Amino acid sequence: MPAVRPTPPNPAARQFVLPIRVYYEDTDAAGVVYYANYFKFCERARTEWLRTQGFANGALLAERNLAFVVKHVTGDYRASAVLDDALEVVSRLDKLGGASIAFHQTVSRGEEILFDARIVVACVDMGARRACQIPAEVKRQLQFLIGP
């Protein structure tokens, strides 16, 4: 599959929801979701959202030697999830820069927000190991996803 195969613009895509079930492997000795796993849940949601938009991370790396890497994170833990909880990770684009993308992501159980994060990823040329411009066709598609 080519790295960049944008999908037609879709207003509903301005937010992406990924369902997550909590398994034993996600919990700590106290039986609650281990704090770092909320960031893993967010990573999965960003990856799947980009895939639905026609940008597979593996293909971007293989075909263009580009990767989106985390540059900055902040997270607010509000409540704990436990074994068998059905969660939703909701992702939205906050800002699109020349070489970076800022996401707002929440992890919820029903109406209750358990985790609230702001995550900035940078587009990196893996050969040079430095930030680079987001490819124009990727940027065009993502620009549409920034909500009003």
Side-chain angles (χ1 to χ4, degrees), residues 74-133:
T74 59
D76 183 23
Y77 298 89
R78 297 182 180 184
S80 298
V82 297
L83 182 66
D84 273 343
D85 275 352
L87 307 177
E88 288 187 338
V89 183
V90 178
S91 304
R92 294 179 190 87
L93 280 178
D94 268 350
K95 184 178 178 186
L96 182 61
S100 65
I101 307 167
F103 290 90
H104 178 214
Q105 294 183 274
T106 58
V107 179
S108 301
R109 179 181 48 226
E111 298 297 317
E112 182 182 20
I113 294 175
L114 308 178
F115 180 69
D116 188 0
R118 305 284 177 168
I119 300 171
V120 179
V121 298
C123 185
V124 172
D125 177 324
M126 296 307 289
R129 299 260 185 222
R130 54 185 296 188
C132 64
Q133 293 292 308

Side-chain angles (χ1 to χ4, degrees), residues 24-113:
Y24 280 118
E25 67 188 29
D26 300 319
T27 63
D28 61 14
V32 299
V33 171
Y34 182 65
Y35 78 96
N37 287 337
Y38 290 96
F39 286 109
K40 288 182 179 182
F41 298 159
C42 289
E43 176 74 27
R44 290 177 198 162
R46 288 192 312 276
T47 298
E48 292 305 320
W49 188 17
L50 290 173
R51 185 185 320 278
T52 68
Q53 295 305 305
F55 312 119
N57 284 332
L60 279 170
L61 184 60
E63 295 176 14
R64 296 191 186 198
N65 209 27
L66 296 178
F68 287 107
V69 300
V70 173
K71 177 182 177 190
H72 179 80
V73 298
T74 59
D76 183 23
Y77 298 89
R78 297 182 180 184
S80 298
V82 297
L83 182 66
D84 273 343
D85 275 352
L87 307 177
E88 288 187 338
V89 183
V90 178
S91 304
R92 294 179 190 87
L93 280 178
D94 268 350
K95 184 178 178 186
L96 182 61
S100 65
I101 307 167
F103 290 90
H104 178 214
Q105 294 183 274
T106 58
V107 179
S108 301
R109 179 181 48 226
E111 298 297 317
E112 182 182 20
I113 294 175

